[in-house]
């Protein structure tokens, strides 16, 4: 029985309970599923997602350095380098390497403290603060902390010497890079633009053609272990950079320099307060040879304010670094960088009469000989609109009306055209669209809409008032009249080449449409030229030997002026209240806080030669404050100076009249060492007067004027001394300011002095030119024969046009 019980007991223990079996099966299934999932996961990791996780591993063990592409150069029309790159260096630390090296020094019992050593020396070499460098060394989990950028070669050599001296090769690194450099500093600053610290173009051509100039950076990938040590070469990869393309422009350095020099003179001598701008353009192709804004800025240090802007900032009295200070500084920088020639609009004034005259002649609504009597005003729709000559011009032909800038004449022919025809010509001349010039930020004009355009608007528009255009629009439209009626597209870039000189892209000249006929253009050019060389209002634009066609203009602006900084304030509704806010310093106040100021815009546009136009120029000074505030005085003389300088350079041959040859200036020869007879023979052959002072059989030992001086040939007299002693004959310089040309010339000659004429050169053709300055002050005692430079201007040529509705 006991055996059976035992056996029975054993059988009972050998049989698994069904529940136990079930649980075991579930656990086994779960294990199989988990194992299967693991196998699938492993399979995915090693096949489908292999590259993904491989990349993650590589990202953790590799460092990637950018290999900078060389940004393309910018050249002028003759291959002169305008923008390029220079090699500079980025100096950076490896804090983890410094910490590891310091640990080794500590273990060896060394007293060297690497972080202070590095911080002290780099702060002195790189002109950064000691605390800044020291802080970078504390980021021990970093392999790269930048200390300085754009370090020049000489400074880099000093850093290398420091590294070698203290064996810091694994702790301090120099990485060569490119920094944008402009060889001419401020030349064409508003056209070229500049780049940011990352080399990306921010303004001008640098921005417009950034993709072509930039190229594509390469990469250098190196594997490092957890300590920052470089791993085997198998983990290295090098992807070369693709350098940027070169930009070849239509800018001519000589023309650009001449324009900038005269633009600066025009601005400073007239006391300009809101910048000046100018453009020189090929009338047939639209190629822009020069475009300038004054004040300019240094492209190699573009964030430094110009003198006027800095004075504005300092006068506000804000604490440097304060929010208000930084806001105004930023606004001043943006204003300084803006290209006034294309971004801002202005009222063209009488320079627009060139367009009205062309329209009228093209539509045959007037003849050149038709006469009209100007009484000083014209009434249109009940509004009396004045001429700049309040008493009236009297009887004028249409040609004379243009030359004398008679408003009623232009209003009459405008009204004959009608609103639709006139407005369609505005479109045709390109005023209602942007020119498409290849620069960023081009603005547009401001005009009444065609459906709201009335006869009153037409009458005022006809003489260039109550609408706005950009400077580039105006010279483009005038160039259409100069070139025979064709509206061309202004542009700067002629071609793009790669680093080896291979042509990538060329840009053809583009004619948009013909606006008026060639015969009309020839007629208008003749009228304008006669206004310069004859009795017209543009006589200050005269250049001997070159037939300039020119038109001057002056317009008035009425603006609310900020009482703090003097900049314009604009209306703004704040919490339902009409306020004014300054565009520069953000000063906000009620209208009474802002005085209404009356300011002027003076300009002159011209092209030459009038009988075969090649080049056009426009100069505009915004808000002049000193002297006679007319475009004929503020801008025209400087237009003449630019054209006198660049036309011979551009291959335009001077053709002098007999009268011009008779009155040309000449350079005084060097007669020192000549015998008296030889000196007399030389002067006789060259049409010069000479007076011998001393023994008649001696040698010329001294002369006045000295050789190289320029004088008016007709009245020039050389005083030649044959005595060994220093000449003692002196004269007192008379005051000739305010005198007419003839009177000043005679007074200086009577005083025993020579004269050099500056400013307008056709002073003999009329009696209006007067002396505005002389180079030697009145009352000064000088040797006989000294040259006095006298500047003439026609001050009676008014071109100011204003329309103000009568008070109710």
């Amino acid at each position: 029985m006991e055996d059976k019980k035992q056996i029975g007991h054993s059988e009972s223990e050998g049989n698994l309970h069904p529940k136990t079996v079930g649980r075991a099966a579930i656990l086994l299934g779960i294990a199989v599923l988990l194992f299967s999932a693991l196998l699938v996961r492993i399979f995915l990791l090693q096949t489908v997602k292999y590259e993904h996780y491989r990349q993650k591993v590589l990202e953790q063990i590799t460092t990637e350095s950018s290999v900078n592409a060389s940004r393309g150069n910018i050249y002028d029309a003759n291959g002169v380098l305008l923008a390029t790159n220079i090699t500079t260096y980025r100096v950076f630390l490896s804090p983890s390497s410094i910490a590891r090296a310091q640990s080794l020094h500590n273990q060896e019992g060394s007293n060297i403290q690497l972080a202070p050593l590095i911080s002290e020396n780099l702060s002195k070499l790189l002109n950064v603060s000691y605390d800044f460098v020291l802080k970078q060394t504390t980021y021990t989990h970093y392999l790269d902390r930048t200390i300085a950028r754009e370090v020049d070669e000489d400074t880099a050599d000093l850093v290398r010497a420091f590294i070698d001296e203290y064996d810091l090769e694994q702790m301090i690194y120099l990485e060569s890079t490119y920094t944008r450099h402009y060889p001419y500093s401020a030349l064409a600053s508003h056209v070229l633009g500049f780049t940011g610290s990352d080399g990306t173009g921010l303004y001008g051509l640098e921005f417009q053609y950034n993709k072509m100039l930039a190229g594509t950076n390469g990469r250098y990938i190196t594997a490092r272990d957890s300590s920052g040590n470089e791993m085997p070469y198998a983990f290295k990869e090098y992807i070369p950079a693709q350098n940027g393309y070169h930009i070849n422009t239509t800018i001519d350095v000589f023309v650009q320099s001449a324009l900038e020099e005269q633009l600066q003179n025009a601005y400073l001598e007239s006391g300009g307060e809101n910048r000046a701008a100018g453009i020189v353009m090929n009338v047939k192709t639209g190629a822009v040879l020069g475009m300038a804004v004054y004040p300019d800025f240094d492209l190699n240090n573009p964030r430094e304010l110009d003198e006027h802007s800095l004075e504005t900032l300092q006068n506000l009295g804000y604490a440097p670094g304060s929010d208000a200070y930084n806001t105004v500084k930023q606004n001043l920088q943006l204003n300084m960088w803006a290209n006034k020639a294309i971004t801002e609009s202005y009222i063209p004034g009488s320079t627009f009469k060139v367009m009205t005259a062309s329209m009228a002649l093209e539509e045959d609504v007037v003849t050149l000989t038709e006469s009209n009597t100007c009484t000083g005003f014209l009434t249109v729709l009940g509004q009396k609109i004045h001429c700049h000559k309040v008493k009236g011009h009297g009887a004028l032909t249409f040609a004379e009306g243009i030359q004398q800038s008679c408003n009623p004449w232009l209003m009459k022919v405008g009204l004959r055209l009608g609103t639709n025809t006139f407005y369609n010509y505005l479109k045709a001349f390109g005023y209602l669209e942007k020119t498409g010039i290849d620069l960023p930020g081009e603005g547009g004009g401001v005009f009444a809409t065609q459906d709201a355009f009335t006869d009153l608007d037409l009458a005022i528009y006809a003489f260039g008032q109550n609408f706005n255009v950009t400077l580039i629009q105006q010279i483009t439209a005038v160039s259409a009249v100069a070139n025979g009626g064709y509206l061309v597209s202004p542009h700067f870039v002629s071609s793009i080449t790669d680093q080896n000189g291979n042509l990538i892209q060329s840009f053809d000249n583009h004619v948009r449409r013909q606006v008026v006929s060639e015969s009309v253009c020839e007629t208008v050019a003749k009228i304008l030229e006669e206004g310069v060389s004859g009795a017209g209002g543009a006589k200050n634009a005269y250049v001997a030997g070159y037939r300039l066609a020119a038109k001057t203009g002056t317009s008035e602006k009425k603006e609310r002026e900020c009482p703090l900084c003097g900049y314009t304030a604009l209306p703004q509704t704040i919490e339902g209240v009409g306020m004014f806010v300054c565009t520069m310093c953000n000063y906000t106040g009620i209208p009474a806080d802002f005085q209404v100021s009356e300011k002027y815009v003076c300009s002159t546009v011209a092209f030459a030669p009038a009988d075969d136009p090649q080049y056009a120029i426009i100069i505009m000074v915004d808000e002049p404050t000193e002297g006679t505030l007319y475009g004929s005085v503020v801008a025209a003389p400087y237009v003449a100076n630019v054209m006198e300088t660049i036309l011979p350079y551009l291959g335009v041959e001077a053709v002098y009249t007999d009268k011009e040859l008779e009155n040309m200036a000449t350079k005084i020869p060097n007669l020192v060492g000549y015998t008296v007879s030889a000196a007399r023979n030389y002067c006789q052959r060259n049409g010069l007067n000479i007076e011998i002072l001393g023994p008649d059989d001696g040698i010329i030992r001294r002369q006045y004027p000295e050789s190289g001086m320029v004088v008016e040939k007709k009245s020039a007299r050389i005083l030649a001394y044959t005595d060994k002693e220093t000449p003692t004959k002196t004269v007192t310089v008379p005051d000739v300011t305010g005198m007419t040309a003839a009177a000043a010339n005679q007074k200086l000659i009577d005083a025993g002095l020579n004269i050099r004429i500056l400013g307008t050169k056709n002073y003999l053709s009329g009696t209006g030119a007067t002396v505005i300055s002389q180079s030697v002050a009145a009352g000064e005692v000088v040797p006989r024969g000294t040259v006095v430079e006298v500047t003439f201007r026609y001050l009676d040529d008014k071109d100011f046009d204003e329309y103000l509705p009568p008070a109710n």
Side-chain angles (χ1 to χ4, degrees):
M1 290 294 296
E2 289 180 0
D3 291 339
K4 288 181 179 180
K5 287 179 181 179
Q6 290 177 355
I7 293 172
H9 176 72
S10 175
E11 288 176 354
S12 175
E13 288 181 353
N15 295 325
L16 295 176
H17 194 278
K19 291 183 178 181
T20 301
V21 174
R23 284 195 294 270
I26 291 171
L27 292 173
L28 178 61
I30 292 173
V32 170
L33 288 174
L34 291 173
F35 186 70
S36 298
L38 182 60
L39 288 175
V40 171
R41 182 64 174 167
I42 293 172
F43 175 77
L44 291 174
L45 289 174
Q46 294 190 346
T47 56
V48 178
K49 293 190 176 183
Y50 171 76
E51 285 299 328
H52 173 75
Y53 287 99
R54 177 178 178 276
Q55 185 63 35
K56 281 188 170 290
V57 172
L58 288 176
E59 288 175 358
Q60 293 179 0
I61 68 170
T62 61
T63 58
E64 182 177 306
S65 299
S66 176
V67 179
N68 293 326
S70 176
R71 189 174 179 85
N73 296 333
I74 301 178
Y75 297 96
D76 92 330
N78 300 307
V80 177
L81 190 62
L82 299 177
T84 187
N85 312 299
I86 57 174
T87 300
T88 57
Y89 296 87
R90 180 176 73 96
V91 178
F92 63 97
L93 305 177
S94 175
S96 64
S97 299
I98 295 173
R100 188 167 60 256
Q102 185 65 61
S103 178
L104 291 174
H105 281 302
N106 294 341
Q107 292 175 12
E108 295 171 357
S110 173
N111 293 325
I112 294 178
Q113 297 297 313
L114 292 173
L117 173 70
I118 291 171
S119 301
E120 181 179 356
N121 283 273
L122 289 187
S123 63
K124 294 178 180 178
L125 293 174
L126 302 175
N127 195 28
V128 295
S129 73
Y130 173 90
D131 292 339
F132 169 74
V133 182
L134 186 63
K135 184 176 181 179
Q136 305 312 305
T137 65
T138 64
Y139 295 101
T140 55
H141 53 294
Y142 284 96
L143 298 174
D144 183 337
R145 298 294 292 183
T146 298
I147 302 301
R149 298 180 185 273
E150 299 185 9
V151 176
D152 61 45
E153 190 69 52
D154 292 341
T155 305
D157 287 340
L158 295 175
V159 174
R160 292 189 189 99
F162 168 61
I163 293 172
D164 293 340
E165 181 180 356
Y166 291 96
D167 194 22
L168 303 173
E169 288 82 0
Q170 299 300 316
M171 290 166 261
I172 304 174
Y173 297 88
L174 289 90
E175 177 186 54
S176 64
T177 186
Y178 295 116
T179 295
R180 203 61 166 166
H181 178 70
Y182 303 90
Y184 289 90
S185 298
L187 187 77
S189 55
H190 291 87
V191 175
L192 296 176
F194 55 92
T195 62
S197 59
D198 62 351
T200 301
L202 298 181
Y203 277 84
L205 293 174
E206 293 277 25
F207 177 88
Q208 185 76 13
Y209 291 94
N210 184 66
K211 290 184 179 179
M212 305 298 286
L213 288 164
T216 304
N217 289 341
R219 292 180 297 165
Y220 184 70
I221 303 171
T222 305
R224 295 181 181 273
D225 61 21
S226 60
S227 298
N229 297 314
E230 200 170 296
M231 293 175 68
Y233 288 99
F235 291 92
K236 290 185 176 180
E237 184 178 6
Y238 174 69
I239 301 173
Q242 296 179 2
N243 292 331
Y245 295 132
H246 296 320
I247 300 295
N248 303 297
T249 72
T250 59
I251 299 170
D252 188 297
V253 165
F254 183 86
V255 174
Q256 181 73 29
S257 299
L259 176 62
E260 291 190 8
E261 178 183 3
Q262 294 304 319
L263 194 65
Q264 178 179 351
N265 292 342
Y267 185 79
L268 295 179
E269 291 175 16
S270 65
E273 292 189 342
N274 192 24
R275 305 199 295 166
I279 304 170
V280 176
M281 191 167 85
N282 185 312
V283 300
K284 297 182 179 180
T285 68
V288 180
L289 284 71
M291 177 182 285
V293 176
Y294 186 84
D296 53 20
F297 59 93
D298 185 355
L299 289 169
N300 294 312
N301 188 16
R303 286 171 176 76
E304 181 179 358
L305 292 176
D306 64 77
E307 184 177 339
H308 176 74
S309 299
L310 183 60
E311 182 180 357
T312 299
L313 179 61
Q314 292 173 341
N315 289 342
L316 287 170
Y318 296 134
S322 65
D323 289 344
Y325 181 94
N326 291 337
T327 296
V328 175
K329 183 178 181 180
Q330 184 179 41
N331 288 339
L332 287 168
Q333 286 175 332
L334 293 174
N335 183 69
M336 178 180 71
W337 295 333
N339 187 342
K340 191 179 186 74
I342 68 167
T343 62
E344 297 181 21
S345 64
Y346 74 109
I347 300 173
S350 292
T351 61
F352 184 80
K353 291 173 181 175
V354 176
M355 291 32 263
T356 304
S358 300
M359 300 175 197
L361 292 171
E362 182 70 25
E363 294 298 319
D364 201 24
V365 298
V366 69
T367 63
L368 295 182
T369 57
E370 181 183 344
S371 182
N372 174 64
T373 299
C374 170
T375 60
F377 69 91
L378 185 69
T379 301
V380 180
L381 297 183
Q383 300 281 8
K384 182 182 286 188
I385 306 172
H386 292 279
C387 185
H388 66 82
K389 193 167 186 177
V390 179
K391 293 183 180 180
H393 288 95
L396 293 172
T397 66
F398 180 61
E400 292 169 338
I402 298 170
Q403 293 163 357
Q404 299 298 324
S405 208
C406 177
N407 292 348
W409 236 132
L410 275 297
M411 285 189 274
K412 283 190 174 182
V413 297
L415 292 169
R416 291 178 189 176
L417 286 167
T419 55
N420 286 334
T421 300
F422 185 91
Y423 209 91
N424 288 336
Y425 270 109
L426 287 179
K427 295 177 182 177
F429 273 114
Y431 286 115
L432 302 185
E433 60 187 2
K434 296 180 181 180
T435 66
I437 191 169
D438 48 346
L439 283 177
E442 182 183 4
V446 180
F447 296 87
T449 59
Q450 187 165 7
D451 57 356
F453 194 59
T454 67
D455 280 348
L456 181 60
D457 294 318
L458 171 56
I460 300 165
Y461 275 39
F463 59 87
Q465 294 294 316
N466 283 22
F467 65 91
N468 287 51
V469 301
T470 62
L471 210 64
I472 189 64
Q473 284 179 322
Q474 186 66 359
I475 194 172
T476 301
V478 171
S479 292
V481 176
N483 68 23
Y486 299 92
L487 190 70
V488 297
S489 295
H491 61 277
F492 277 104
V493 174
S494 58
S495 66
I496 298 175
T497 56
D498 65 16
Q499 302 268 333
N500 297 318
N502 299 312
L503 181 65
I504 301 300
Q505 186 177 357
S506 62
F507 298 85
D508 297 328
N509 302 323
H510 177 58
V511 176
R512 286 185 272 175
R513 53 186 167 268
Q514 185 170 11
V515 185
V516 291
S517 64
E518 292 186 16
S519 60
V520 163
C521 294
E522 291 173 0
T523 300
V524 172
K526 185 174 185 295
I527 294 171
L528 296 177
E529 190 278 329
E530 290 173 352
V532 174
S533 61
K539 294 187 291 294
N540 284 329
Y542 174 84
V543 177
Y546 294 98
R547 298 181 59 201
L548 259 69
K551 191 74 188 75
T552 64
T554 308
S555 57
E556 184 181 21
K557 328 189 278 187
K558 294 198 173 186
E559 299 174 337
R560 297 276 183 171
E561 186 177 284
C562 175
L564 295 185
C565 68
Y567 279 78
T568 302
L570 298 177
Q572 186 173 329
T573 301
I574 301 176
E575 297 181 355
V577 178
M579 308 286 279
F580 276 84
V581 179
C582 176
T583 57
M584 183 57 63
C585 69
N586 295 330
Y587 174 77
T588 303
I590 60 175
D593 294 339
F594 297 85
Q595 183 178 354
V596 177
S597 63
E598 296 183 1
K599 299 180 180 180
Y600 301 90
V601 179
C602 299
S603 64
T604 296
V605 64
F607 54 86
D611 54 349
D612 182 22
Q614 304 291 323
Y615 302 100
I617 179 175
I618 189 167
I619 284 180
M620 178 265 285
V621 178
D622 200 351
E623 300 179 14
T625 60
E626 299 176 8
T628 304
L629 304 184
Y630 296 124
S632 57
V633 177
V634 173
Y638 307 95
V639 164
N641 291 344
V642 174
M643 294 300 252
E644 185 176 29
T645 301
I646 69 173
L647 289 176
Y649 164 81
L650 293 170
V652 180
E653 186 177 356
V655 179
Y656 297 100
T657 65
D658 292 341
K659 192 172 185 179
E660 287 172 336
L661 289 171
E662 182 183 350
N663 292 288
M664 284 185 66
T666 188
K667 186 178 289 187
I668 295 295
N670 184 6
L671 300 178
V672 174
Y674 279 51
T675 64
V676 170
S677 60
R680 280 177 171 159
N681 288 337
Y682 179 94
C683 290
Q684 185 176 6
R685 289 196 309 271
N686 291 278
L688 295 171
N689 296 315
I690 185 170
E691 179 181 344
I692 304 298
L693 299 173
D696 205 39
D697 57 352
I699 301 295
I700 307 298
R701 300 182 182 278
R702 191 157 184 171
Q703 68 178 64
Y704 286 98
E706 296 177 345
S707 65
M709 296 294 292
V710 178
V711 297
E712 301 307 306
K713 185 175 182 178
K714 188 175 181 180
S715 61
R717 176 175 292 273
I718 301 174
L719 302 181
Y721 293 85
T722 59
D723 290 328
K724 293 182 180 180
E725 298 179 2
T726 302
T728 56
K729 292 189 176 182
T730 58
V731 297
T732 301
V733 177
D735 184 2
V736 295
T737 55
M739 291 185 176
T740 64
N745 189 43
Q746 190 61 50
K747 191 163 188 176
L748 289 172
I749 291 174
D750 290 346
L753 298 166
N754 281 288
I755 186 172
R756 168 78 193 282
I757 303 295
L758 300 177
T760 182
K761 298 295 180 66
N762 65 337
Y763 59 94
L764 295 178
S765 67
T767 59
T770 55
V771 180
I772 63 168
S773 67
Q774 59 187 77
S775 63
V776 184
E780 191 170 332
V781 178
V782 297
R784 279 187 62 199
T786 295
V787 178
V788 178
E789 294 181 342
V790 178
T791 302
F792 287 89
R793 291 281 190 276
Y794 285 95
L795 302 179
D796 59 347
D797 295 332
K798 297 182 179 180
D799 50 33
F800 173 58
D801 305 316
E802 173 192 27
Y803 170 67
L804 294 176
N808 293 328

